[in-house]
Amino acid sequence: MSVEDDLRLYLAEQRAIIDAFPVEPLRAVAEMLFQTYDAGGTVFAMANGGNAGTLDHAYCDFKHHPFVSDDKTRRISPSVKRLRFVNLCSSPAELTGLVNDLGSDDMYAAALEPFVTDQDLVMAYSGSGNSPNVIRALEVAVAAGARTFAMTKGDGGRCRALADVCLVVPGSSAFPGQTGPNDNNFHFEDAMLSVNHMLVGLLKQRVAAAQQR
């Protein structure tokens, strides 16, 4: 295939995924997000590799975007409740310390366990659905009675059984770099950013509607 053919393949695969994208899990996690916000709970989120970088983007959006005016020229009243959002991937010092002391499989569980409650939402992103550090943290969240959401691909792995809501990105890929064990990985990572944007936008809409009552 030519470079142009490969590029068209990627875009065609992406369109097919969007057309088949499961909306019901998105609706369900949006409801859990609203419940967490209304209860004054905290959103905890975790991922590995490049997806941890995407969560840094999500942290910024969730923490700030629902609480500014549409034209971004002013913040809404400080009296409006904000969303508490903790990116468990955010501190290299904390993560390397936990890995050094406890091992990589327990790094997110150790960061989460002392703080998570039944008022919180734990969001887990794992392409395989089987990342040990994500699975152990989800187990901690379930034990605490927290709301749980996972985003995966393929067959959903263990995340599918653990999470209250599991969004499995559909499709398969023949594009270079995301075949074999990495099947659909680029599309999964693209979709992760879109899911976070949809949730941020819905929360912004809910916050704005509450201000008009």
Side-chain angles (χ1 to χ4, degrees):
M1 294 177 68
S2 68
V3 169
E4 183 175 345
D5 288 338
D6 281 334
L7 293 173
R8 292 186 184 281
L9 170 65
Y10 190 94
L11 294 172
E13 289 176 349
Q14 199 166 60
R15 284 192 294 271
I17 288 170
I18 290 171
D19 287 343
F21 209 80
V23 174
E24 173 54 26
L26 283 172
R27 183 208 60 77
V29 69
E31 288 299 328
M32 291 198 299
L33 175 64
F34 299 157
Q35 291 164 6
T36 302
Y37 171 72
D38 291 345
T42 299
V43 175
F44 295 92
M46 61 190 144
N48 292 307
N51 296 326
T54 301
L55 279 187
D56 208 28
H57 182 155
Y59 166 81
C60 177
D61 284 357
F62 274 102
K63 188 173 180 180
H64 298 289
H65 191 66
F67 308 104
V68 297
S69 61
D70 284 338
D71 63 5
K72 297 186 179 182
T73 60
R74 59 182 174 80
R75 299 190 66 78
I76 62 175
S77 169
S79 65
V80 176
K81 178 171 57 183
R82 266 47 176 181
L83 177 70
R84 290 200 293 269
F85 190 103
V86 175
N87 176 8
L88 294 172
C89 317
S90 65
S91 170
E94 180 181 30
L95 290 179
T96 55
L98 290 171
V99 169
N100 188 60
D101 293 344
L102 302 173
S104 60
D105 288 357
D106 284 320
M107 65 185 195
Y108 290 140
L112 182 65
E113 191 166 23
F115 304 103
V116 66
T117 76
D118 60 4
Q119 298 300 308
D120 300 331
L121 169 62
V122 176
M123 304 176 74
Y125 299 84
S126 170
S128 68
N130 291 312
S131 302
N133 54 5
V134 168
I135 294 300
R136 292 197 185 182
L138 274 178
E139 290 170 344
V140 164
V142 170
R147 305 171 185 92
T148 52
F149 166 71
M151 182 172 172
T152 71
K153 60 183 178 67
D155 64 6
R158 292 181 62 198
C159 282
R160 193 164 199 165
L162 274 172
D164 294 324
V165 177
C166 185
L167 191 160
V168 180
V169 176
S172 186
S173 180
F175 186 81
Q178 60 169 350
T179 58
N182 287 323
D183 185 33
N184 226 31
N185 202 51
F186 293 162
H187 294 318
F188 169 82
E189 293 183 349
D190 291 343
M192 179 180 166
L193 185 58
S194 295
V195 165
N196 289 334
H197 280 158
M198 285 187 274
L199 293 176
V200 167
L202 291 171
L203 181 61
K204 181 176 177 63
Q205 182 182 58
R206 185 177 178 87
V207 171
Q211 296 309 294
Q212 295 171 3
R213 295 191 189 118

